[in-house]
Structure formats: structure tokens, C-alpha cells
Amino acid sequence: MGKNGRRKQRQRDSQRERDDSSVRTTTKPAKQAREKNWFQRQHGGVQTLIVLGVTASVVGFHFLLWGSIFPALGEAVGRMPVVSTVVGWLFGGGAFMAWGVVAINHDTAKPATKKRLQAVAWVWSAVAVVLFPSGYANGIRLPVDFWAGVYAGAYGTILTPVALGVVALGWWLLVNKLFGHKKEPSNQAVGWICVAYATLLLIWGSTLLRQ
């Protein structure tokens, strides 16, 4: 009985060790808390001041852009129809081109290069947001070709959520349903979609808006 008891005890100890090892293997490590960014580390009052400052800057740059920069630039390129439209389109359409370049090179670019491309895209996006056609903007007289390019980029920025919805629906219908590929679009696919959208805005500004 003594030997049998010790044997059973060893078996129970061995089983307990296997169970403990299995638990340690299957237990997932706890997720590390995500570090707060600079804005999140600020106090509530500071965050409010930052938001107000950014809002005032956007509004101020909007008036500066439409009241001073666009009239001067339009006068400089207004006599060259194609160039004038492209220059006007660059303010909004160029942002989509910039994000297209970021997405296309996302998997191959070096980290430093990727950061520079993203910085350019974010700055360009900020300029595109300021293009919104307010009542003040609508009262500014610009050469027709230049105006068409600017407004193509401006309305293209406003219609971005609609464009994203159309692209998502098209991807779901064509790729997921028609071809049966259950996958998300790659970074390169997203990049070329951005380039195509920017090109479509340029074509729109060159044709429809000038009629």
C-alpha cells in the first residue's frame, strides 16, 4: 500500500505540473497600456485652448488663402488654361495624390522616408480642408480655369466620405462577392484608389466645372 500510495502521489504531482505548464502556455500576456500622445497628456483647459487655437488658425488661413493667395496666384497663371486648372487643383487634389504615394510606398519605404511622406500628406490635407467653399470664398472672383481647379479639389475634399463609401461598396460587390476573395484591399490598392480619385477630380475640374 505504501508503494502504491507514493506512486499515485507522484502521478498526481506529475499531472499537476503538466496542468500548470499548459496554463502558462495558453495564458496570453497582458496587453501593455498604450502610451498617451502629447495632446492626451495635456490638461482639459490646455486641450480646449489648443482646439480653439487650431480652429482660429484654420479660419484665418481660409480667409488668407481665398482673399490674398488665390487672387494673386490666379492672376499669375490665369492666361494658361491647362496650367491654371492644374495649379488650382493641386491645393485639394494634391492631398489625395500625396496619400496615394504614402500608401503605395507603405510596405517598401524606409521608416524615415515613410515619416517624411506622411508629414507632407498631413500638411497637404490641412491645406485641402481650408478650401471649403464658404460664402466668403464664393464672393472671390478668380479666372475660370483656376477657379475650376480649386473648386474641384475643394468639393472633392468635402465628398471624401461619400467617395469612401462608394469605394467600400464597390470593393465588397466586385472583389468579395463577384470574385469571392474575402480580403481587405492592400496598401498599394488603397494608394492607387487615392491617385485615381485625385485624377478624377482633375478631369472634373477641366471639363464639367467649366461648362
Side-chain angles (χ1 to χ4, degrees):
M1 293 296 291
K3 291 182 178 180
N4 290 335
R6 287 193 295 272
R7 187 182 300 112
K8 291 180 179 180
Q9 182 63 35
R10 286 195 298 270
Q11 290 175 350
R12 286 195 294 268
D13 293 341
S14 178
Q15 182 63 38
R16 188 180 299 109
E17 290 178 358
R18 287 194 296 269
D19 293 341
D20 292 342
S21 176
S22 176
V23 169
R24 287 194 298 269
T25 302
T26 57
T27 301
K28 295 181 179 180
K31 293 183 178 180
Q32 295 181 351
R34 180 177 296 180
E35 185 178 355
K36 294 182 179 180
N37 58 36
W38 176 83
F39 181 77
Q40 293 173 334
R41 291 196 299 268
Q42 307 304 314
H43 297 294
V46 177
Q47 290 180 346
T48 302
L49 291 176
I50 293 173
V51 172
L52 291 176
V54 170
T55 303
S57 299
V58 169
V59 174
F61 187 55
H62 171 77
F63 283 100
L64 175 65
L65 192 65
W66 283 98
S68 300
I69 297 176
F70 280 165
L73 191 58
E75 185 178 354
V77 299
R79 296 182 180 180
M80 299 175 285
V82 176
V83 175
S84 180
T85 303
V86 172
V87 171
W89 162 86
L90 277 174
F91 287 88
F96 296 100
M97 281 289 186
W99 281 114
V101 172
V102 171
I104 291 171
N105 295 279
H106 184 273
D107 298 329
T108 57
K110 296 179 180 179
T113 303
K114 191 185 303 183
K115 287 183 178 180
R116 286 194 293 268
L117 292 175
Q118 289 175 342
V120 171
W122 278 116
V123 172
W124 218 321
S125 298
V127 174
V129 170
V130 178
L131 293 178
F132 61 92
S134 63
Y136 175 77
N138 291 332
I140 302 298
R141 299 188 63 179
L142 298 172
V144 175
D145 297 302
F146 181 75
W147 170 89
V150 171
Y151 265 76
Y155 280 105
T157 303
I158 294 173
L159 294 174
T160 298
V162 178
L164 289 175
V166 172
V167 170
L169 179 61
W171 185 273
W172 179 74
L173 289 175
L174 294 177
V175 178
N176 294 348
K177 292 299 182 182
L178 184 61
F179 295 103
H181 296 297
K182 304 295 183 180
K183 60 180 181 180
E184 299 293 330
S186 64
N187 290 321
Q188 286 196 339
V190 172
W192 286 114
I193 289 172
C194 291
V195 171
Y197 183 62
T199 305
L200 181 63
L201 293 179
L202 178 59
I203 295 173
W204 182 40
S206 300
T207 55
L208 297 180
L209 279 177
R210 292 193 300 171
Q211 294 180 356

